[in-house]
Amino acid sequence: MEDKKQPQGDLLLRTQTMPADTNPNGDIFGGWVMSQMDIAGSILAKEATCGRVVTIAVEGMKFIEPIQVGDIFCCYGYVEKIGNTSITVKLEVWVKPILNACGVARYQVTEARFVYVAIDENHKKRQIPKK
Ligand SMILES: CC(C)(COP(=O)(O)OP(=O)(O)OC[C@H]1O[C@@H](n2cnc3c(N)ncnc32)[C@H](O)[C@@H]1OP(=O)(O)O)[C@@H](O)C(=O)NCCC(=O)NCCS
């Protein structure tokens, strides 16, 4: 696999894919991938909004390549837009195969925009503080 570019943004989450995360084809299940991206994006969103957030939308999700068991799963991201109560985080997932693949470059497998809304303790949307 050719390393076409570099990941955009900070490394938000890094883990190893496990057999329990597979779909019936034996590849990593897309729902698991989305949940990891949601966790990664929410970390950034909480830091940027100084409090709780909930996911309101996922935009432009694209699964580019399958992910194999044992791959090192890395989610990178950056804040793309901050509104009054919402924040948009652009996320990319890159993997690095390590099983029987010493020296293989990392490559991108997925990308999407996750939109979060800042909420208060009563689950009502709140204004995102200006920094
Ligand atoms: C998040 C929630 C509190 C927002 O309530 P609301 O008062 O109806 O929100 P609004 O429609 O006014 O939208 C709030 C913000 O989200 C944005 N937004 C709403 N729908 C959107 C969509 N489909 N895509 C992108 N942004 C959207 C709005 O533009 C607004 O942003 P801004 O304040 O920066 O301009 C409510 O929808 C909710 O609780 N949803 C469930 C969240 C959840 O359980 N997520 C899954 C588990 S984390």
Side-chain angles (χ1 to χ4, degrees), residues 11-116:
L11 178 61
L12 303 173
L13 187 145
R14 184 172 186 253
T15 189
Q16 183 170 30
T17 56
M18 302 293 278
D21 307 321
T22 55
N23 62 25
N25 300 327
D27 302 320
I28 297 301
F29 178 48
W32 180 86
V33 174
M34 289 183 74
S35 74
Q36 298 302 305
M37 294 173 78
D38 196 14
I39 292 167
S42 72
I43 293 171
L44 191 54
K46 285 172 190 169
E47 287 174 344
T49 66
C50 308
R52 297 182 192 197
V53 298
V54 283
T55 313
I56 193 162
V58 179
E59 300 172 349
M61 186 93 204
K62 183 178 180 188
F63 292 100
I64 302 163
E65 299 277 353
I67 305 174
Q68 311 300 324
V69 172
D71 285 353
I72 304 303
F73 177 104
C74 301
C75 187
Y76 296 84
Y78 60 91
V79 175
E80 192 174 63
K81 193 174 102 183
I82 296 184
N84 293 320
T85 66
S86 69
I87 176 168
T88 303
V89 178
K90 176 72 197 306
L91 295 171
E92 295 181 0
V93 176
W94 289 62
V95 298
K96 185 167 173 48
I98 54 167
L99 300 180
N100 305 315
C102 198
V104 173
R106 64 187 172 183
Y107 55 92
Q108 188 182 353
V109 292
T110 304
E111 65 184 20
R113 285 179 177 78
F114 278 65
V115 185
Y116 301 90

